[in-house]
Amino acid sequence: MERKIYGEDVQRISIAKLKQILADDSFVSDNMVMSPLVTFKSMGHSSHVIEGITIGIICNGKARITINGRSHELRTNSLVLLREDSVVNAFKCSKACRGYMMTYSRSMLDTINIPAADFLSVYMVFSTSPCLMLTDAEAAHLHRVGALLADVVRTSGKDPYDNRIITSLFSAFFYSLVSLLNRKLPTESEPDSQTRTDALMSEFIRILGCDCEKERSVEYYASKLGISPKYLSLICKKKTGKNASKIIDDVVIHRAKDLLRQTGLSIQEVADRLNFVSQSFFGKYFKQRVGISPSRYKAYE
């Protein structure tokens, strides 16, 4: 079944709202919505934000999308990657433009225990390259993994293992995407593909992935790069829309959640592992950024 999306002129689109916009046989939970093949429709002039991390694939037809003020041309096998704060300023497509999309919450991502290095790789691509072209083989592989996930979620019922199966398949889909995106990232052997700011941003992400458990200061990472803290934050803001401090906080919180999910570690041990001066300071840091205390988060997990 196909339905047209972007039919309503709305500013913010929640996962619950997507259920009303997408086809009736979309899979919807509190943390994820996955559409079947749909026909896309050009949206109006107002800007939209999808309140979740979104992966979209164009299967045929052409489109042009403007994300955070930058225009991108889409065609068959185009991959669209949107963060929770990505602003879609415009979307114009041909009548034959079809594809599918998945939107999931950050809490859904937390369930698959992504290591900090993998999280950073994906974060980097979502921030700097929201639209990528896949080869036929890459698209076919992603379609196969996605089709298996779609088939399972469509037939899920009251079986107590349904959620675990869906989470496992979502993990397989996500890591298929991670593997694909890592192949798209510029490497040190391809210096011509990177500007100086690209190279600095990539090196910052690499160092942060290694040192996030011991250092949280912008000054530390700037000194490692041989630049000023102000310049590092300017680069981060330009490339990701977030300053360096916010990126560091995101990664530290991501690592903290990983450690809290390991039931063998106490909150004090997590605080020590992340180089906080005390459990109390770690608790305040965590609650300020997540909205709940480490103990409540650990209890939920």
Side-chain angles (χ1 to χ4, degrees):
M1 179 179 179
E2 297 180 7
R3 287 250 313 263
K4 296 185 183 299
I5 71 171
Y6 291 130
E8 295 184 10
D9 186 18
V10 296
Q11 293 291 332
R12 303 192 72 86
I13 305 175
S14 65
I15 289 177
K17 184 67 174 177
L18 282 174
K19 181 178 182 180
Q20 301 172 25
I21 299 173
L22 293 172
D24 293 336
D25 53 347
S26 300
F27 168 76
V28 180
S29 71
D30 291 340
N31 292 316
M32 185 175 81
V33 56
M34 185 173 187
S35 81
L37 189 67
V38 294
T39 298
F40 292 100
K41 182 181 179 181
S42 298
M43 75 178 197
H45 297 294
S46 60
S47 298
H48 295 68
V49 175
I50 298 178
E51 296 178 339
I53 300 165
T54 298
I55 300 165
I57 299 178
I58 303 296
C59 295
N60 61 271
K62 296 181 179 180
R64 182 169 290 278
I65 188 170
T66 303
I67 303 170
N68 298 329
R70 290 186 60 191
S71 181
H72 305 269
E73 184 177 345
L74 308 176
R75 55 188 186 275
T76 301
N77 292 344
S78 287
L79 183 68
V80 180
L81 308 168
L82 302 175
R83 301 182 327 205
E84 305 103 317
D85 57 352
S86 295
V87 179
V88 179
N89 309 107
F91 182 80
K92 187 174 182 180
C93 62
S94 64
K95 292 182 179 179
C97 186
R98 297 191 301 165
Y100 60 92
M101 57 188 286
M102 176 192 297
T103 298
Y104 54 91
S105 67
R106 183 61 64 94
S107 59
M108 181 75 179
L109 198 59
D110 287 344
T111 64
I112 61 176
N113 301 329
I114 300 173
D118 293 340
F119 170 77
L120 286 170
S121 294
V122 175
Y123 184 91
M124 179 73 174
V125 179
F126 272 59
S127 298
T128 60
S129 305
C131 298
L132 296 170
M133 275 302 301
L134 306 181
T135 65
D136 288 342
E138 289 169 339
H141 175 71
L142 207 57
H143 293 334
R144 286 194 295 271
V145 180
L148 180 58
L149 174 58
D151 182 62
V152 171
V153 297
R154 274 197 300 269
T155 58
S156 62
K158 297 182 179 180
D159 191 296
Y161 294 106
D162 279 346
N163 285 338
R164 292 189 180 184
I165 295 169
I166 290 170
T167 299
S168 296
L169 289 173
F170 174 76
S171 177
F173 179 87
F174 187 83
Y175 271 105
S176 294
L177 181 67
V178 170
S179 175
L180 188 156
L181 295 181
N182 280 337
R183 294 197 297 272
K184 300 290 184 183
L185 285 172
T187 65
E188 293 180 2
S189 62
E190 300 173 318
D192 293 341
S193 66
Q194 292 183 296
T195 65
R196 171 169 164 74
T197 54
D198 287 335
L200 285 169
M201 187 69 195
S202 295
E203 183 64 4
F204 168 53
I205 294 299
R206 185 193 69 77
I207 297 171
L208 179 56
C210 295
D211 295 354
C212 64
E213 289 191 8
K214 66 179 183 179
E215 288 289 346
R216 296 185 298 279
S217 73
V218 177
E219 290 76 13
Y220 171 83
Y221 294 100
S223 67
K224 284 282 188 177
L225 295 169
I227 59 178
S228 70
K230 183 178 180 180
Y231 186 49
L232 176 57
S233 279
L234 285 173
I235 291 172
C236 292
K237 191 73 174 177
K238 179 181 178 181
K239 295 295 181 182
T240 71
K242 298 181 179 182
N243 60 32
S245 179
K246 183 64 171 68
I247 292 174
I248 293 168
D249 281 348
D250 284 349
V251 174
V252 172
I253 288 297
H254 179 83
R255 186 64 182 131
K257 288 179 177 179
D258 281 347
L259 295 172
L260 289 169
R261 282 192 294 268
Q262 298 177 25
T263 55
L265 294 177
S266 68
I267 295 173
Q268 179 64 63
E269 287 171 327
V270 173
D272 291 342
R273 178 83 169 261
L274 294 175
N275 201 27
F276 283 87
V277 294
S278 68
Q279 179 178 329
S280 174
F281 184 72
F282 168 63
K284 291 177 181 177
Y285 177 93
F286 189 91
K287 186 173 183 179
Q288 184 179 37
R289 290 157 180 82
V290 180
I292 59 174
S293 67
S295 59
R296 287 189 66 188
Y297 182 86
K298 190 173 179 67
Y300 289 154
E301 294 298 316

